[in-house]
Amino acid sequence: MEELVLTEPNEETIVEEQAPKKVNVDLGVPKTQRKRLVIIGGGFAGIHLVKKLSKSSYQVVLIDKHNHHNFQPLLYQVATSGLEADSIAYPIRKVLSDHEDYHFRMGEAQEIKPHEHVLVTDKGSIAYDFLVIATGAKTNYFGMENVAKHAYPMKSVAQAMKLRNTILENYEKALLTNNLDEREELMNIVIAGGGPTGVEMAGALAEFKRYIMPADYPDLNIERSKIYLVELLPELLPPMSDEASKKSEEYLRKMGVIIKTETKIEDYDGQVVKTDKGDIPSRMLIWTGGVSAASIPGLPDEVMAKGGRIKCNGFGQVEGFERIYALGDVAQFHSEEFPKGHPQLAAVAVDQGEFLGKHFSRMHKGEDLKPYKYNNKGSMATVGRSKAVVDLPNWKFQGAFAWFVWLGVHLFSLIGFRNKIVTFTNWVSNYFSRDRHSRVIIKD
Amino acid sequence: MEELVLTEPNEETIVEEQAPKKVNVDLGVPKTQRKRLVIIGGGFAGIHLVKKLSKSSYQVVLIDKHNHHNFQPLLYQVATSGLEADSIAYPIRKVLSDHEDYHFRMGEAQEIKPHEHVLVTDKGSIAYDFLVIATGAKTNYFGMENVAKHAYPMKSVAQAMKLRNTILENYEKALLTNNLDEREELMNIVIAGGGPTGVEMAGALAEFKRYIMPADYPDLNIERSKIYLVELLPELLPPMSDEASKKSEEYLRKMGVIIKTETKIEDYDGQVVKTDKGDIPSRMLIWTGGVSAASIPGLPDEVMAKGGRIKCNGFGQVEGFERIYALGDVAQFHSEEFPKGHPQLAAVAVDQGEFLGKHFSRMHKGEDLKPYKYNNKGSMATVGRSKAVVDLPNWKFQGAFAWFVWLGVHLFSLIGFRNKIVTFTNWVSNYFSRDRHSRVIIKD
């Protein structure tokens, strides 16, 4: 494999001196003596690590398949026409632009060669002093090939756009057929997974059906359009409190969502969702039913934990590999409190990214190293306008105030001032008009 | 061909009574006696006609390939990462939602059968009392097949998104090669056509190069990235005043754009643009070099004018066909002042759409019919921040004030309050930060 091209301004060849050197890094040291930190993944963990490193004297190389960070908690609003894609996507190059010695390369990590200290990508291989695996999680279909083939996942902005296009196209197609079975298939939507994403998606679709469809599709009998939420466990939002689970179920039922708990999806051919409790005709199965860690080949089996997560010590260092770290959804930090790993949440990824930034700074300065400590910030989910559930460590609440808290936290967490302001504008407009402005099908 | 399905709320079969009846239409007449107006195209002409008809007693059927109206004058800002796609796209269904008897169908018009009073679409055929052809213009490659295959047009939102994705991908690819020729090809951009779209595109790309690329791509030698604007005629903005042409050329040259007037593009293989004055290596040829009217088969050759436009009388009625009208770019209204037809401008299309709305209302009320009269509102183009050229009928001006006028007119013309406010937010943010926030590659 050829080496990944890492050129410098005004130089048109690979800079040989950029090969990693084992020297003590110091602020202001010449570029040739800097340690190279290769980060795979510009998700919450990777981006927050990079931000912390902006004043560091490491050379930073970030690799991602996409050229943007994607704010996953709001993907469902893109998929349901409430937000434009660009307001939850943030250019990765912009995050790095205040670091003097950074390099972003759009590419896919393929293999780690831990003994050679080399990462292989589809665009070339690169040597590292330190490697940080922050690849997040990928959709898990639990081995159901047909489901993987026909269901719609929602992990990237492009997938959210495809969902939006397809939902809207299905309604348009429903208008063009006199076959009632086909019409029902086209208008029904099944959501697999009663976690926060599934609950939020179901709520947003229920609002779309109630406030948008009657005016937009006077020619359709809207009552034919049914929204199903299917969950394997007895309750929605399984990791949250009982209050949150019960209240979200109550909200969704009132909004007309058909909730099927203790129901297992077994197969899907693109037209009929087969469950252990019966069939549901639907051309749209949205899969939020599970994730597994998106690890990269090359690490030995001993360090792989359940769900593909990588076993790390308390500092995020992969067990047995001094120079390799893992962060966020893909990592399982050693913790007495969380023997199975910390929750796979955005907040944890952000937290661990910032932690590792400080850790590298401490290492560099020769300070005492402190292991990561999880600070539970609670969890929350929104169901609809003025309807949300919030679990804080010592306070659980639901309703309008919870909804405002949810809005505030998400707005605050969005990266970039422009994204915050455009999202806020959309939310205010959606609130007063009950409209969903982005119901446009954009595809080639 | 089967009939296009036009069902009514709560009715699941084709409503037979909707077949067109030749009765006098009156407000409040039963649905079965309304005249059916079929409009092809939801562009400026079609949308403004529909808006005027919202209180009419015609049955309105609008057919478009897309489910959204697309604000073409700002496509170039989507293509250059300045605006998100959704802020210049407006859901067609929303325009119609206050009309009691409207039907939108997403589909493509294929053929008119003028003697049977039937329009054939790819989704079925439909009988009409009146047909309005408002299909606009399509990109014209003047028979150059290679150019058509490899160049990038910019007439739809999806095409603008593809342009944006490809421009950004090319820069990313340039970083990954050590081949200097390939790098140059990837970084060069050639724009064909010195009309308003070409000028605006060139200016926006020059600003992107100057304000975004140095920070975003410190690894690239930005000077290698050249922007060429190629025009066949001796001047830019040929239909505008001399002052406008000269000033826009002066602006662009100062911004670093290489202007090649009196230059003819002859071929393009995807890597080298061949012109009669020499070759330009570039992977990106943006084609704004010409349009032809997007007429529909079925009308006799006698009514077809130059450039595919349809000859109409002073009321927009297609010559010799009482029930068929044409509007906007596809139409050539009879006019002593404009023997070759009115300019193919958005303002004219809006104007003619509104005119025809009034015309139908006059017909319906039995009032005197007045032919269309073109009210020249002038024309304008923007080159960059504080740089625009405006030709009003009695006043020509350029510079910062012209730029504010351009901003105001375009903001005002955008359909939908939310689109106005989001676009305004982006413009203010872009103005102060000189940033282009939407530089995200979103594709499947």
Side-chain angles (χ1 to χ4, degrees):
Chain A
M1 191 73 179
E2 273 185 42
E3 240 182 82
L4 189 69
V5 180
L6 268 199
T7 52
E8 292 296 287
N10 305 316
E11 294 182 83
E12 297 292 345
T13 53
I14 300 180
V15 178
E16 294 296 339
E17 314 88 78
Q18 283 195 358
K21 303 269 190 266
K22 290 181 194 168
V23 294
N24 220 4
V25 182
D26 198 10
L27 268 164
V29 292
K31 282 196 177 183
T32 50
Q33 289 173 31
R34 284 182 192 155
K35 292 209 176 177
R36 182 186 287 164
L37 193 57
V38 175
I39 303 163
I40 317 168
F44 284 111
I47 284 293
H48 282 87
L49 167 59
V50 165
K51 283 181 133 190
K52 278 280 169 201
L53 291 171
S54 70
K55 302 273 179 280
S56 80
S57 55
Y58 291 89
Q59 181 188 57
V60 178
V61 179
L62 178 59
I63 313 278
D64 198 293
K65 279 180 287 187
H66 301 289
N67 83 332
H68 55 273
H69 167 73
N70 136 20
F71 193 77
Q72 286 193 19
L74 292 178
L75 279 178
Y76 84 94
Q77 295 204 3
V78 172
T80 54
S81 309
L83 278 180
E84 49 272 85
D86 301 9
S87 59
I88 64 155
Y90 192 83
I92 286 179
R93 293 197 169 277
K94 201 172 144 144
V95 181
L96 293 158
S97 62
D98 59 346
H99 189 293
E100 188 219 334
D101 188 9
Y102 75 84
H103 309 269
F104 169 68
R105 290 297 177 275
M106 206 166 104
E108 200 156 351
Q110 291 180 325
E111 193 193 346
I112 301 165
K113 295 187 172 173
H115 302 294
E116 300 167 39
H117 310 306
V118 161
L119 173 73
V120 181
T121 80
D122 61 347
K123 300 295 185 319
S125 58
I126 183 166
Y128 57 79
D129 290 300
F130 295 104
L131 178 69
V132 180
I133 308 167
T135 40
K138 62 184 183 202
T139 308
N140 186 356
Y141 298 99
F142 304 102
M144 292 184 285
E145 278 174 35
N146 284 334
V147 175
K149 195 171 160 194
H150 297 290
Y152 290 79
M154 194 175 58
K155 293 291 283 180
S156 73
V157 179
Q159 285 170 349
M161 289 284 285
K162 193 173 174 182
L163 252 172
R164 180 175 100 185
N165 286 340
T166 312
I167 291 170
L168 297 171
E169 276 177 323
N170 283 354
Y171 293 148
E172 294 295 339
K173 283 182 189 164
L175 273 170
L176 296 167
T177 178
N178 284 315
N179 178 327
L180 293 196
D181 292 338
E182 199 184 343
R183 216 171 243 227
E184 200 176 330
E185 267 176 27
L186 285 161
M187 294 176 75
N188 281 346
I189 295 176
V190 180
I191 301 152
T197 310
V199 164
E200 290 175 343
M201 192 75 199
L205 287 168
E207 289 191 333
F208 191 92
K209 177 183 160 184
R210 178 159 171 196
Y211 297 112
I212 306 297
M213 289 186 74
D216 259 19
Y217 300 92
D219 306 355
L220 282 178
N221 181 351
I222 306 299
E223 294 313 309
R224 291 192 158 273
S225 169
K226 300 225 165 32
I227 298 155
Y228 295 86
L229 180 58
V230 181
E231 165 62 42
L232 187 62
L233 297 176
E235 275 196 337
L236 299 182
L237 302 175
M240 289 185 73
S241 66
D242 263 9
E243 293 97 311
S245 299
K246 289 213 169 65
K247 197 73 189 177
S248 60
E249 187 166 336
E250 184 192 316
Y251 282 145
L252 287 174
R253 284 198 197 280
K254 272 193 195 155
M255 291 163 82
V257 174
I258 302 168
I259 297 172
K260 294 192 172 286
T261 44
E262 294 184 274
T263 303
K264 187 170 186 284
I265 288 176
E266 292 177 331
D267 204 357
Y268 182 51
D269 62 357
Q271 293 185 294
V272 176
V273 181
K274 293 208 179 296
T275 80
D276 58 352
K277 303 269 170 72
D279 294 352
I280 310 170
S282 174
R283 295 270 178 102
M284 174 54 74
L285 172 60
I286 301 169
W287 190 263
T288 72
V291 294
S292 60
S295 55
I296 295 165
L299 293 174
D301 287 348
E302 303 95 79
V303 304
M304 304 308 290
K306 214 186 144 201
R309 290 170 90 174
I310 301 167
K311 288 182 199 164
C312 302
N313 66 15
F315 302 98
Q317 233 165 357
V318 176
E319 281 183 7
F321 297 92
E322 208 185 321
R323 298 214 207 163
I324 309 179
Y325 290 76
L327 285 181
D329 284 0
V330 76
Q332 183 173 313
F333 275 43
H334 175 78
S335 158
E336 309 237 316
E337 204 188 342
F338 296 92
K340 291 178 187 169
H342 297 97
Q344 286 169 302
L345 294 174
V348 175
V350 169
D351 218 29
Q352 292 185 345
E354 292 181 345
F355 159 78
L356 198 64
K358 276 182 234 155
H359 180 77
F360 276 117
S361 153
R362 283 184 194 127
M363 274 209 306
H364 167 61
K365 292 178 191 160
E367 294 175 5
D368 282 353
L369 301 179
K370 294 173 198 163
Y372 172 69
K373 195 162 166 8
Y374 175 56
N375 176 15
N376 181 11
K377 289 175 178 151
S379 55
M380 52 181 75
T382 193
V383 186
R385 185 188 163 98
S386 305
K387 298 184 190 78
V389 295
V390 173
D391 286 359
L392 296 185
N394 301 309
W395 188 26
K396 294 162 197 5
F397 55 104
Q398 301 88 33
F401 178 64
W403 187 65
F404 279 106
V405 169
W406 185 94
L407 290 175
V409 166
H410 283 77
L411 205 57
F412 181 79
S413 310
L414 265 174
I415 294 177
F417 180 70
R418 204 237 27 163
N419 285 3
K420 284 183 171 70
I421 203 97
V422 169
T423 301
F424 180 72
T425 307
N426 276 294
W427 284 352
V428 170
S429 167
N430 292 353
Y431 182 84
F432 286 107
S433 64
R434 290 188 184 271
D435 207 347
R436 297 290 177 271
H437 302 84
S438 292
R439 51 189 194 276
V440 291
I441 301 169
I442 299 176
K443 58 187 269 192
D444 227 347
Chain B
M1 191 73 181
E2 273 187 43
E3 240 182 85
L4 188 70
V5 180
L6 268 198
T7 53
E8 292 295 289
N10 306 316
E11 293 183 83
E12 297 293 345
T13 52
I14 301 180
V15 178
E16 294 297 338
E17 313 89 78
Q18 286 195 353
K21 302 270 191 266
K22 290 181 198 172
V23 295
N24 220 4
V25 183
D26 198 9
L27 268 164
V29 293
K31 283 196 177 185
T32 49
Q33 289 171 32
R34 285 183 192 155
K35 292 211 177 176
R36 182 188 289 168
L37 193 58
V38 175
I39 303 162
I40 318 169
F44 284 111
I47 284 293
H48 283 88
L49 168 59
V50 166
K51 281 181 134 192
K52 279 278 168 203
L53 292 170
S54 69
K55 302 273 179 281
S56 81
S57 56
Y58 291 89
Q59 180 187 57
V60 177
V61 180
L62 179 59
I63 313 276
D64 197 292
K65 279 181 287 187
H66 300 290
N67 82 331
H68 54 274
H69 167 73
N70 135 23
F71 192 76
Q72 286 193 20
L74 291 178
L75 280 179
Y76 83 95
Q77 295 205 3
V78 172
T80 54
S81 310
L83 278 180
E84 49 273 88
D86 300 10
S87 58
I88 65 156
Y90 191 84
I92 286 179
R93 294 199 167 276
K94 200 171 144 140
V95 181
L96 293 157
S97 61
D98 59 346
H99 188 294
E100 188 220 332
D101 190 8
Y102 73 85
H103 309 270
F104 169 70
R105 292 294 180 273
M106 205 163 106
E108 199 157 354
Q110 292 180 323
E111 193 192 346
I112 301 165
K113 297 187 170 170
H115 302 293
E116 299 168 39
H117 311 305
V118 160
L119 173 72
V120 182
T121 80
D122 61 348
K123 300 295 187 318
S125 57
I126 182 164
Y128 57 78
D129 289 300
F130 296 104
L131 178 69
V132 181
I133 308 168
T135 40
K138 62 184 182 200
T139 308
N140 186 357
Y141 299 99
F142 304 102
M144 292 183 284
E145 277 175 35
N146 284 332
V147 176
K149 196 172 159 191
H150 296 291
Y152 290 79
M154 194 174 60
K155 293 293 284 178
S156 72
V157 180
Q159 285 170 349
M161 289 285 286
K162 194 174 174 182
L163 252 171
R164 182 173 99 183
N165 286 340
T166 312
I167 291 170
L168 296 172
E169 275 177 325
N170 283 355
Y171 294 148
E172 296 294 339
K173 283 182 190 164
L175 274 170
L176 296 169
T177 177
N178 284 315
N179 180 325
L180 293 197
D181 292 339
E182 199 184 343
R183 216 172 244 228
E184 201 176 329
E185 267 175 26
L186 284 161
M187 293 175 76
N188 280 348
I189 296 176
V190 180
I191 301 152
T197 309
V199 164
E200 290 175 341
M201 193 74 198
L205 287 169
E207 289 191 332
F208 192 91
K209 178 183 159 183
R210 177 159 172 197
Y211 297 112
I212 307 297
M213 288 186 74
D216 259 20
Y217 300 93
D219 306 355
L220 282 177
N221 181 350
I222 305 300
E223 294 315 308
R224 292 194 156 272
S225 170
K226 302 225 166 26
I227 298 155
Y228 295 86
L229 180 59
V230 180
E231 165 62 43
L232 188 61
L233 298 175
E235 275 196 335
L236 299 182
L237 302 175
M240 290 186 72
S241 67
D242 263 7
E243 293 97 308
S245 298
K246 288 212 172 63
K247 196 72 190 177
S248 59
E249 189 167 334
E250 184 192 316
Y251 284 145
L252 286 174
R253 284 199 198 280
K254 272 194 196 155
M255 292 163 80
V257 175
I258 301 167
I259 298 173
K260 293 189 172 287
T261 45
E262 293 185 273
T263 302
K264 186 170 186 283
I265 288 175
E266 292 177 331
D267 204 358
Y268 182 51
D269 62 357
Q271 293 185 293
V272 176
V273 182
K274 293 207 179 296
T275 81
D276 58 353
K277 303 268 170 74
D279 294 352
I280 310 170
S282 174
R283 295 270 178 99
M284 171 56 71
L285 172 60
I286 302 169
W287 191 262
T288 71
V291 295
S292 59
S295 55
I296 296 164
L299 293 174
D301 288 347
E302 305 94 80
V303 303
M304 302 309 290
K306 214 187 141 199
R309 289 170 90 172
I310 301 167
K311 289 183 199 163
C312 303
N313 65 15
F315 302 99
Q317 232 165 358
V318 176
E319 281 183 5
F321 296 92
E322 208 186 322
R323 297 214 207 165
I324 309 181
Y325 290 78
L327 283 182
D329 284 358
V330 78
Q332 183 173 312
F333 276 43
H334 175 78
S335 158
E336 311 235 314
E337 203 189 343
F338 297 92
K340 291 179 187 168
H342 296 96
Q344 286 170 300
L345 293 173
V348 175
V350 169
D351 218 29
Q352 292 186 345
E354 290 180 348
F355 159 78
L356 198 65
K358 275 181 235 154
H359 180 78
F360 277 117
S361 152
R362 286 185 192 123
M363 276 210 304
H364 167 63
K365 292 177 189 157
E367 294 176 6
D368 283 353
L369 300 180
K370 296 172 195 163
Y372 172 68
K373 197 165 162 6
Y374 175 56
N375 176 16
N376 180 11
K377 288 176 179 152
S379 54
M380 53 180 76
T382 194
V383 187
R385 184 189 163 99
S386 304
K387 299 184 192 76
V389 294
V390 174
D391 286 358
L392 296 185
N394 300 310
W395 188 27
K396 291 158 200 9
F397 54 105
Q398 302 88 32
F401 179 65
W403 187 64
F404 279 107
V405 169
W406 185 94
L407 291 175
V409 166
H410 283 77
L411 204 59
F412 181 79
S413 311
L414 265 174
I415 294 177
F417 179 70
R418 205 240 21 166
N419 286 3
K420 284 184 172 70
I421 202 98
V422 169
T423 301
F424 181 72
T425 307
N426 276 294
W427 284 352
V428 171
S429 166
N430 292 352
Y431 182 84
F432 287 107
S433 64
R434 292 188 183 272
D435 207 348
R436 297 291 177 272
H437 302 84
S438 292
R439 50 189 194 276
V440 290
I441 302 169
I442 298 176
K443 58 188 267 192
D444 226 347

